[in-house]
Amino acid sequence: MGLWFKQLFNNKFPIIGMIHLDALPGTPFYRGNFDAIITKAIEEAKIYTNNSIDAVIIENMNDVPYVQRQCFGPETVACMTKIASIIRETVKHIPCGIQVLACGNEEALAVAKACNLNFIRAEGFIFSHVADEGFTNANAGQLLRYRRNIDADHIRILTDIKKKHSAHAITDDVSLKDTAKAAEFFRSDGIVLTGTSTGCETNVDDLKDLHNEIELPLIVGSGVTVENVSEYWNIADAAIVGSYFKQKGHWKGDLSEVKVQEFMSKLEGFRSQ
């Protein structure tokens, strides 16, 4: 685990809560009220901070169907910058990150730079794959050069490997272990492992296979619940939790403060031992 990770997160197995923004202007499901999107995001940020969440990450999850980065408009970056700036002020004392879908990794870095965020979550960092929005090419070299060019080396890049909602047939001969080692070699700051789709459990055996093989932080990216968190507690370094915290356990639901409280209370029990 990197020194930066221990310095950024104070607790064992930090939980990163998802703020899934409602559909933004310029996307098919935008409802015509940008101020309402901001208000809801602030409310969710406050729920997280009031219940001792360790970090948050902002994501334009509702901008479906996604388009590749060369196709989404400047309004996406502009709107996410405004929201990220407000959320950063709302969660002053905990780390904050951002992901811009789909594969808007440079855009996420630019927003993080402008809003003093701590990390981004990046798609397609190493090895190309086919996502539901189309072909995603590897971009580590370009992304890290961009990070250097905008003087943002302090912003950490957490990278998905064998990403959810994607086909990996073109790299079927590259094992999970070799993929993780490639991400490490290409200077990723942390590895994110997920299930096959949003909310699906991450394979525990996959995490075990990587546990002692890489020095990067190993982050569970989907499927963590109050019932199964004990399975991940000692084999991963952190977890990103979104769907479980929502009503009915679905990412499109409203954030449930009761579920956040329940989850964090159980986790504190582990930590106190």
Side-chain angles (χ1 to χ4, degrees), residues 26-29 61-68 72 101-102 132-133:
T27 63
F29 292 98
M61 182 75 178
N62 282 284
D63 284 0
V64 290
Y66 307 124
V67 294
Q68 294 177 317
F72 58 68
L101 299 171
D132 41 16
E133 67 274 358

Side-chain angles (χ1 to χ4, degrees), residues 53-115:
I53 206 80
D54 298 289
V56 297
I57 183 167
I58 305 158
E59 183 185 73
N60 56 329
M61 182 75 178
N62 282 284
D63 284 0
V64 290
Y66 307 124
V67 294
Q68 294 177 317
R69 63 181 298 264
Q70 65 268 28
C71 297
F72 58 68
E75 68 278 358
T76 297
V77 177
C79 291
M80 292 192 76
T81 301
K82 180 171 183 177
I83 294 171
S85 179
I86 294 170
I87 296 301
R88 175 73 282 180
E89 287 300 306
T90 305
V91 297
K92 290 181 178 179
H93 304 299
I94 63 172
C96 184
I98 191 166
Q99 180 172 19
V100 179
L101 299 171
C103 206
N105 299 336
E106 292 183 25
E107 288 78 4
L109 272 176
V111 175
K113 170 74 174 181
C115 300

Side-chain angles (χ1 to χ4, degrees), residues 15-257:
I15 302 300
I16 305 170
M18 291 297 310
I19 297 177
H20 292 135
L21 303 178
D22 283 347
L24 295 174
T27 63
F29 292 98
Y30 175 58
R31 297 176 183 175
N33 191 337
F34 184 54
D35 288 340
I37 297 173
I38 297 173
T39 298
K40 182 179 178 181
I42 292 171
E43 291 172 352
E44 293 189 356
K46 288 180 177 178
I47 287 174
Y48 281 136
T49 55
N50 290 341
N51 291 281
S52 302
I53 206 80
D54 298 289
V56 297
I57 183 167
I58 305 158
E59 183 185 73
N60 56 329
M61 182 75 178
N62 282 284
D63 284 0
V64 290
Y66 307 124
V67 294
Q68 294 177 317
R69 63 181 298 264
Q70 65 268 28
C71 297
F72 58 68
E75 68 278 358
T76 297
V77 177
C79 291
M80 292 192 76
T81 301
K82 180 171 183 177
I83 294 171
S85 179
I86 294 170
I87 296 301
R88 175 73 282 180
E89 287 300 306
T90 305
V91 297
K92 290 181 178 179
H93 304 299
I94 63 172
C96 184
I98 191 166
Q99 180 172 19
V100 179
L101 299 171
C103 206
N105 299 336
E106 292 183 25
E107 288 78 4
L109 272 176
V111 175
K113 170 74 174 181
C115 300
N116 197 30
L117 307 186
N118 305 97
F119 60 92
I120 71 166
R121 183 175 178 180
E123 302 173 86
F125 190 75
I126 39 92
F127 293 112
S128 301
H129 63 269
V130 182
D132 41 16
E133 67 274 358
F135 188 82
T136 299
N137 208 354
N139 53 61
Q142 178 182 345
L143 185 60
L144 267 62
R145 283 165 174 79
Y146 180 71
R147 182 171 68 172
R148 173 59 59 87
N149 287 340
I150 65 169
D151 189 29
D153 283 345
H154 60 287
I155 298 170
R156 301 297 174 173
I157 299 174
L158 307 180
T159 58
D160 280 87
I161 61 171
K162 300 290 187 181
K163 184 184 175 294
K164 62 186 177 181
H165 298 286
S166 301
H168 299 280
I170 55 178
T171 56
D172 189 52
D173 58 337
V174 183
S175 70
L176 182 67
K177 176 182 172 181
D178 287 340
T179 305
K181 285 188 172 294
E184 188 171 43
F185 177 62
F186 268 24
R187 305 298 179 136
S188 167
D189 291 307
I191 297 293
V192 181
L193 278 187
T194 68
T196 56
S197 61
T198 300
C200 290
E201 289 189 23
T202 303
N203 189 307
V204 173
D205 290 334
D206 287 344
L207 289 162
K208 289 179 179 178
D209 288 344
L210 297 183
H211 182 67
N212 294 315
E213 296 293 336
I214 60 172
E215 297 181 5
L216 297 177
L218 188 57
I219 301 162
V220 186
S222 71
V224 179
T225 69
V226 73
E227 290 83 15
N228 68 19
V229 64
S230 60
E231 298 179 33
Y232 299 111
W233 165 255
N234 285 316
I235 58 173
D237 299 301
I240 299 170
V241 183
S243 297
Y244 175 75
F245 287 152
K246 303 297 187 70
Q247 299 286 354
K248 298 183 180 180
H250 191 276
W251 66 267
K252 293 186 73 173
D254 291 331
L255 189 65
S256 167
E257 185 162 15

